[in-house]
Amino acid sequence: MASTQESAAELSPSQGAPNRNTLVPIEAIRNAARALEGVAVRTPLLDIPALRQQLGVPVAAKCEHLQPVGAFKIRGAYTAISRIEEHSRARGVITYSSGNHGQAVAMAARLLGTKAVVVMPERAPAIKVAGVRRLGGEVVIAANSSADRYRLAHELAEDRGLAIVPPYESLDVIAGQGTCGLEILEERPEVETILVPVGGGGLIAGIAAAVAELKPSVRVIGVEPQGAPKLARALEQGQPVQLESTQSLADGLLPLSVGKLPFAVMSGVVRESVLVSEAEIAAAVRFLYHELQLVTEPSGAVTTAALLAGRVQPTGSTVVVVSGGNVDPEVFNRLVNS
């Protein structure tokens, strides 16, 4: 059994005190950006006039829902799979995912000429299960707990000789997600605040790594549902904390804990995580659709929710990362018409 984590073993925090610049240096992110050309989209920054009027500062949405798989996850998945040694990659890859990472792994595997297996929970949205299958991935359904998915994926990896591509516990994945932050900093160098949805922490860790080296003054803020305060608790305790349960309509943000590697990478850069309610998330989905005609999933709208609800008061140019748009049509229609 191989794993994309193995390529980062010498940089693991277990080998010594973590340093964000050596864990995911800017050159690793730039290398990932070069490799992603023609695979991931350089997504636009779309100004949000209504939020500028409300807050008195420029606000733009980083439209990651426009990626080929409808979410930012292709950045990390392709980066990680492309860095697996060819003889291991040829046997296939496996991951555990509620949806978007699974779709990204299926797409990246197809592009790189190998097969993908995705272990998904019973409660995974049908649109995301269908997306994995449409991209050629094999779907294996497990119980809803992340521990069950993790265990089954590792068992299958051992039995079939597959390489594991973790959703966020991989420095290669984090470097790939960091390309989102690199693009923000290149296209909006005056940015002062970046709001990022937080599931396992791979995206915010990658953005934090880019910020740390290119513009350390930027305020990087995590946004989570009230029912899944993983990063908030980790910041309080100074280390990842395992929650007993998580619940939210933002189905992509429900891990029980932020990852150890992401937390190490973002340490010293990310100091805040704000929580938004279910009603505030729903209002943000409606807002993005009615104001900008953006079709976003609840997980992708939490950053906008934080601004609309006044959870964050930015003082200068601000970017909200809209992380994904893979939403069940019935759920979306209910949210925008409620």
Side-chain angles (χ1 to χ4, degrees):
M1 176 182 65
S3 167
T4 62
Q5 289 175 267
E6 293 172 357
S7 64
E10 65 185 36
L11 298 178
S12 169
S14 64
Q15 306 283 323
N19 178 293
R20 62 180 181 266
N21 292 327
T22 57
L23 283 170
V24 183
I26 194 64
E27 219 25 67
I29 298 174
R30 287 184 170 134
N31 287 341
R34 285 189 284 269
L36 284 166
E37 291 179 4
V39 175
V41 174
R42 191 177 180 95
T43 54
L45 281 165
L46 187 62
D47 289 320
I48 311 176
L51 280 176
R52 178 172 189 149
Q53 184 175 7
Q54 174 183 324
L55 300 168
V57 298
V59 180
K62 179 63 170 168
C63 297
E64 287 296 287
H65 65 294
L66 298 178
Q67 290 292 354
V69 294
F72 74 95
K73 291 284 192 175
I74 188 61
R75 297 176 182 271
Y78 185 88
T79 300
I81 296 172
S82 68
R83 293 179 180 182
I84 297 172
E85 292 184 7
E86 190 171 349
H87 71 278
S88 295
R89 189 172 69 221
R91 292 195 293 269
V93 297
I94 188 168
T95 193
Y96 38 97
S97 166
S98 65
N100 284 338
H101 178 67
Q103 292 181 87
V105 166
M107 177 183 176
R110 187 175 69 178
L111 290 173
L112 291 164
T114 192
K115 62 184 178 183
V117 179
V118 183
V119 179
M120 305 184 75
E122 293 173 343
R123 68 184 177 195
I127 189 172
K128 295 182 179 181
V129 175
V132 172
R133 289 177 171 145
R134 185 179 65 253
L135 291 163
E138 175 189 346
V139 175
V140 177
I141 300 297
N144 284 324
S145 81
S146 54
D148 287 331
R149 296 196 298 278
Y150 179 91
R151 182 169 53 253
L152 180 55
H154 279 74
E155 289 173 358
L156 290 172
E158 190 69 36
D159 290 344
R160 302 191 193 180
L162 305 173
I164 298 173
V165 185
Y168 45 84
E169 285 283 22
S170 160
L171 297 183
D172 292 330
V173 169
I174 294 170
Q177 317 303 30
T179 61
C180 178
L182 183 63
E183 290 175 13
I184 293 170
L185 293 165
E186 288 176 346
E187 295 178 27
R188 189 91 26 140
E190 71 276 18
V191 67
E192 294 186 13
T193 303
I194 303 174
L195 281 74
V196 190
V198 179
L203 178 59
I204 194 169
I207 290 174
V211 162
E213 295 208 32
L214 298 178
K215 193 177 180 184
S217 63
V218 172
R219 184 182 173 197
V220 181
I221 303 173
V223 185
E224 306 176 276
Q226 288 178 347
K230 312 157 300 298
L231 180 57
R233 298 293 174 266
L235 291 171
E236 289 171 1
Q237 299 294 322
Q239 62 184 5
V241 174
Q242 186 89 354
L243 303 179
E244 290 186 5
S245 63
T246 54
Q247 185 174 6
S248 175
L249 58 91
D251 62 89
L253 307 181
L254 297 181
L256 296 177
S257 172
V258 294
K260 293 179 181 178
L261 280 176
F263 192 73
V265 172
M266 73 177 85
S267 180
V269 181
V270 179
R271 298 180 175 86
E272 306 169 73
S273 184
V274 300
L275 305 180
V276 290
S277 72
E278 298 299 282
E280 289 162 353
I281 296 170
V285 173
R286 286 195 299 275
F287 172 86
L288 288 168
Y289 179 69
H290 291 302
E291 291 291 327
L292 300 174
Q293 289 73 56
L294 302 186
V295 176
T296 62
E297 60 188 279
S299 300
V302 295
T303 48
T304 302
L307 292 182
L308 286 172
R311 305 290 184 214
V312 176
Q313 297 294 332
T315 57
S317 179
T318 299
V319 171
V320 293
V321 178
V322 178
S323 55
N326 293 316
V327 58
D328 182 277
E330 290 186 10
V331 172
F332 182 76
N333 287 332
R334 185 175 73 247
L335 291 174
V336 298
N337 293 313
S338 61

